[in-house]
Amino acid sequence: MEEQPVLTGVEGRVGTITLNRPKQLNALDDALMDALGEALLRFDADESIGAIIIGGSEKAFAAGADIAAMARWSYMDVYRRDFITRNWDTVRRVRKPVIAAVAGYAMGGGCELALACDIVIAADTARFALPEVRLAMLPGAGGTQRLPRAIGKAKAMDMCLSARVLDATEADRYGLVSRVVPLCALRAESMALAASIARYSLPALMAIKESVNRAWESALGEGMLFERRELHARFASEDAKEGMAAFLEKRDPVFTHR
């Protein structure tokens, strides 16, 4: 029986998605990206889920796009299929927090997938690179756009033009990842973080995520206006009233995600 390209699970309010092409080091082909997108949208629509984790194996988060699948494609093939836009961009539509738990190789499309997530937790074995230039290609799943925003133009140019590989320590110093943990602790740390996030009010989490993403994509004045409107909207939230009441009453809040 053919293996499922992704495996999913639920632990409390956390949805987990594991990339599952171990023989190909989780190389990202259409079937995997379709399945990943479906899982993301399913968890995003599930009111019982507050945060999502995407992980791979100890050896590879994802070793990049599946070159064997795309080596013979023509321009019209990728244009007609809406390559990347059709399914790789699904993660952008997810409104809930998404955490990438990265161990081993995160190369090319794997690195770009991690960059598309909201938080990246890296095992100390993680390796990040955008080596597309070696194939006379370029990072086309957001790498040339998200990477400069994450680590600055100079370092992004270095990685994209030289195919330089960053280890976890360098990736942390550059600002590419959120934190680095021992490999043996990656799953536990990722789950603990996701569970901690998921216990908060989901509407507040979604507003925070949308506001931070707006900072990437707009001028400061527009971003500040958006943030202020989101803040004002919290005063219409049942959870905000509960959160402030619980603070004043010195008790834990009970959020209903409304």
PDB file of all heavy atoms in Angstrom, residues 125-142:
ATOM      1  N   THR A 125      20.406  19.959  14.803  1.00  0.00           N
ATOM      2  CA  THR A 125      20.877  19.268  13.594  1.00  0.00           C
ATOM      3  C   THR A 125      20.383  19.921  12.314  1.00  0.00           C
ATOM      4  O   THR A 125      20.717  19.468  11.219  1.00  0.00           O
ATOM      5  CB  THR A 125      20.371  17.817  13.591  1.00  0.00           C
ATOM      6  OG1 THR A 125      18.929  17.813  13.586  1.00  0.00           O
ATOM      7  CG2 THR A 125      20.875  17.054  14.817  1.00  0.00           C
ATOM      8  N   ALA A 126      19.564  20.945  12.431  1.00  0.00           N
ATOM      9  CA  ALA A 126      18.927  21.550  11.246  1.00  0.00           C
ATOM     10  C   ALA A 126      19.952  22.229  10.344  1.00  0.00           C
ATOM     11  O   ALA A 126      20.928  22.818  10.813  1.00  0.00           O
ATOM     12  CB  ALA A 126      17.856  22.545  11.676  1.00  0.00           C
ATOM     13  N   ARG A 127      19.688  22.156   9.046  1.00  0.00           N
ATOM     14  CA  ARG A 127      20.526  22.814   8.039  1.00  0.00           C
ATOM     15  C   ARG A 127      19.598  23.494   7.036  1.00  0.00           C
ATOM     16  O   ARG A 127      18.678  22.865   6.511  1.00  0.00           O
ATOM     17  CB  ARG A 127      21.418  21.808   7.306  1.00  0.00           C
ATOM     18  CG  ARG A 127      22.431  21.084   8.200  1.00  0.00           C
ATOM     19  CD  ARG A 127      23.472  22.045   8.738  1.00  0.00           C
ATOM     20  NE  ARG A 127      24.478  21.375   9.550  1.00  0.00           N
ATOM     21  CZ  ARG A 127      24.386  21.213  10.879  1.00  0.00           C
ATOM     22  NH1 ARG A 127      23.319  21.669  11.519  1.00  0.00           N
ATOM     23  NH2 ARG A 127      25.335  20.603  11.552  1.00  0.00           N
ATOM     24  N   PHE A 128      19.851  24.767   6.782  1.00  0.00           N
ATOM     25  CA  PHE A 128      18.998  25.573   5.911  1.00  0.00           C
ATOM     26  C   PHE A 128      19.783  26.075   4.705  1.00  0.00           C
ATOM     27  O   PHE A 128      20.911  26.548   4.850  1.00  0.00           O
ATOM     28  CB  PHE A 128      18.446  26.781   6.669  1.00  0.00           C
ATOM     29  CG  PHE A 128      17.588  26.436   7.855  1.00  0.00           C
ATOM     30  CD1 PHE A 128      18.163  26.205   9.103  1.00  0.00           C
ATOM     31  CD2 PHE A 128      16.212  26.351   7.727  1.00  0.00           C
ATOM     32  CE1 PHE A 128      17.381  25.893  10.202  1.00  0.00           C
ATOM     33  CE2 PHE A 128      15.415  26.029   8.824  1.00  0.00           C
ATOM     34  CZ  PHE A 128      16.004  25.804  10.064  1.00  0.00           C
ATOM     35  N   ALA A 129      19.177  25.994   3.521  1.00  0.00           N
ATOM     36  CA  ALA A 129      19.827  26.522   2.320  1.00  0.00           C
ATOM     37  C   ALA A 129      18.803  26.736   1.223  1.00  0.00           C
ATOM     38  O   ALA A 129      17.737  26.098   1.210  1.00  0.00           O
ATOM     39  CB  ALA A 129      20.921  25.571   1.827  1.00  0.00           C
ATOM     40  N   LEU A 130      19.144  27.644   0.302  1.00  0.00           N
ATOM     41  CA  LEU A 130      18.378  27.855  -0.933  1.00  0.00           C
ATOM     42  C   LEU A 130      19.353  27.630  -2.089  1.00  0.00           C
ATOM     43  O   LEU A 130      19.922  28.577  -2.630  1.00  0.00           O
ATOM     44  CB  LEU A 130      17.788  29.267  -0.962  1.00  0.00           C
ATOM     45  CG  LEU A 130      16.706  29.545   0.083  1.00  0.00           C
ATOM     46  CD1 LEU A 130      16.327  31.021   0.089  1.00  0.00           C
ATOM     47  CD2 LEU A 130      15.473  28.689  -0.164  1.00  0.00           C
ATOM     48  N   PRO A 131      19.546  26.365  -2.483  1.00  0.00           N
ATOM     49  CA  PRO A 131      20.583  26.018  -3.455  1.00  0.00           C
ATOM     50  C   PRO A 131      20.117  25.978  -4.905  1.00  0.00           C
ATOM     51  O   PRO A 131      20.789  25.394  -5.759  1.00  0.00           O
ATOM     52  CB  PRO A 131      21.002  24.618  -2.990  1.00  0.00           C
ATOM     53  CG  PRO A 131      19.727  24.016  -2.477  1.00  0.00           C
ATOM     54  CD  PRO A 131      18.936  25.164  -1.874  1.00  0.00           C
ATOM     55  N   GLU A 132      18.991  26.598  -5.216  1.00  0.00           N
ATOM     56  CA  GLU A 132      18.423  26.503  -6.565  1.00  0.00           C
ATOM     57  C   GLU A 132      19.376  27.002  -7.640  1.00  0.00           C
ATOM     58  O   GLU A 132      19.327  26.550  -8.797  1.00  0.00           O
ATOM     59  CB  GLU A 132      17.104  27.277  -6.633  1.00  0.00           C
ATOM     60  CG  GLU A 132      15.932  26.604  -5.917  1.00  0.00           C
ATOM     61  CD  GLU A 132      15.853  26.944  -4.443  1.00  0.00           C
ATOM     62  OE1 GLU A 132      16.819  27.533  -3.901  1.00  0.00           O
ATOM     63  OE2 GLU A 132      14.838  26.612  -3.818  1.00  0.00           O
ATOM     64  N   VAL A 133      20.252  27.946  -7.291  1.00  0.00           N
ATOM     65  CA  VAL A 133      21.188  28.483  -8.286  1.00  0.00           C
ATOM     66  C   VAL A 133      22.080  27.390  -8.872  1.00  0.00           C
ATOM     67  O   VAL A 133      22.528  27.481 -10.013  1.00  0.00           O
ATOM     68  CB  VAL A 133      22.036  29.622  -7.666  1.00  0.00           C
ATOM     69  CG1 VAL A 133      23.014  29.087  -6.624  1.00  0.00           C
ATOM     70  CG2 VAL A 133      22.772  30.410  -8.749  1.00  0.00           C
ATOM     71  N   ARG A 134      22.323  26.336  -8.122  1.00  0.00           N
ATOM     72  CA  ARG A 134      23.140  25.225  -8.630  1.00  0.00           C
ATOM     73  C   ARG A 134      22.469  24.523  -9.812  1.00  0.00           C
ATOM     74  O   ARG A 134      23.140  23.857 -10.603  1.00  0.00           O
ATOM     75  CB  ARG A 134      23.392  24.206  -7.518  1.00  0.00           C
ATOM     76  CG  ARG A 134      24.266  24.726  -6.388  1.00  0.00           C
ATOM     77  CD  ARG A 134      24.404  23.690  -5.295  1.00  0.00           C
ATOM     78  NE  ARG A 134      25.256  24.156  -4.212  1.00  0.00           N
ATOM     79  CZ  ARG A 134      25.393  23.534  -3.049  1.00  0.00           C
ATOM     80  NH1 ARG A 134      24.691  22.412  -2.815  1.00  0.00           N
ATOM     81  NH2 ARG A 134      26.184  24.025  -2.118  1.00  0.00           N
ATOM     82  N   LEU A 135      21.144  24.663  -9.910  1.00  0.00           N
ATOM     83  CA  LEU A 135      20.395  24.051 -11.009  1.00  0.00           C
ATOM     84  C   LEU A 135      20.006  25.089 -12.059  1.00  0.00           C
ATOM     85  O   LEU A 135      19.166  24.823 -12.917  1.00  0.00           O
ATOM     86  CB  LEU A 135      19.125  23.389 -10.465  1.00  0.00           C
ATOM     87  CG  LEU A 135      19.301  22.374  -9.329  1.00  0.00           C
ATOM     88  CD1 LEU A 135      17.958  21.826  -8.897  1.00  0.00           C
ATOM     89  CD2 LEU A 135      20.243  21.255  -9.738  1.00  0.00           C
ATOM     90  N   ALA A 136      20.613  26.266 -11.976  1.00  0.00           N
ATOM     91  CA  ALA A 136      20.270  27.386 -12.870  1.00  0.00           C
ATOM     92  C   ALA A 136      18.804  27.793 -12.680  1.00  0.00           C
ATOM     93  O   ALA A 136      18.146  28.243 -13.611  1.00  0.00           O
ATOM     94  CB  ALA A 136      20.554  27.053 -14.334  1.00  0.00           C
ATOM     95  N   MET A 137      18.314  27.621 -11.463  1.00  0.00           N
ATOM     96  CA  MET A 137      16.953  28.013 -11.102  1.00  0.00           C
ATOM     97  C   MET A 137      17.032  29.091 -10.035  1.00  0.00           C
ATOM     98  O   MET A 137      18.112  29.543  -9.664  1.00  0.00           O
ATOM     99  CB  MET A 137      16.166  26.799 -10.595  1.00  0.00           C
ATOM    100  CG  MET A 137      16.000  25.686 -11.615  1.00  0.00           C
ATOM    101  SD  MET A 137      14.910  26.139 -12.986  1.00  0.00           S
ATOM    102  CE  MET A 137      13.314  25.944 -12.203  1.00  0.00           C
ATOM    103  N   LEU A 138      15.885  29.499  -9.512  1.00  0.00           N
ATOM    104  CA  LEU A 138      15.864  30.445  -8.400  1.00  0.00           C
ATOM    105  C   LEU A 138      14.814  30.012  -7.399  1.00  0.00           C
ATOM    106  O   LEU A 138      13.885  29.261  -7.735  1.00  0.00           O
ATOM    107  CB  LEU A 138      15.592  31.870  -8.886  1.00  0.00           C
ATOM    108  CG  LEU A 138      14.262  32.182  -9.586  1.00  0.00           C
ATOM    109  CD1 LEU A 138      13.155  32.520  -8.584  1.00  0.00           C
ATOM    110  CD2 LEU A 138      14.436  33.358 -10.535  1.00  0.00           C
ATOM    111  N   PRO A 139      14.940  30.431  -6.143  1.00  0.00           N
ATOM    112  CA  PRO A 139      13.912  30.105  -5.153  1.00  0.00           C
ATOM    113  C   PRO A 139      12.590  30.736  -5.580  1.00  0.00           C
ATOM    114  O   PRO A 139      12.494  31.954  -5.676  1.00  0.00           O
ATOM    115  CB  PRO A 139      14.443  30.737  -3.860  1.00  0.00           C
ATOM    116  CG  PRO A 139      15.905  30.911  -4.091  1.00  0.00           C
ATOM    117  CD  PRO A 139      16.060  31.195  -5.547  1.00  0.00           C
ATOM    118  N   GLY A 140      11.588  29.919  -5.831  1.00  0.00           N
ATOM    119  CA  GLY A 140      10.348  30.429  -6.402  1.00  0.00           C
ATOM    120  C   GLY A 140       9.116  30.182  -5.562  1.00  0.00           C
ATOM    121  O   GLY A 140       8.002  30.404  -6.018  1.00  0.00           O
ATOM    122  N   ALA A 141       9.312  29.730  -4.312  1.00  0.00           N
ATOM    123  CA  ALA A 141       8.161  29.527  -3.417  1.00  0.00           C
ATOM    124  C   ALA A 141       8.220  30.543  -2.280  1.00  0.00           C
ATOM    125  O   ALA A 141       7.863  30.240  -1.143  1.00  0.00           O
ATOM    126  CB  ALA A 141       8.158  28.102  -2.877  1.00  0.00           C
ATOM    127  N   GLY A 142       8.673  31.738  -2.616  1.00  0.00           N
ATOM    128  CA  GLY A 142       8.730  32.816  -1.634  1.00  0.00           C
ATOM    129  C   GLY A 142      10.104  33.073  -1.068  1.00  0.00           C
ATOM    130  O   GLY A 142      10.280  34.010  -0.275  1.00  0.00           O
TER     131      GLY A 142
END
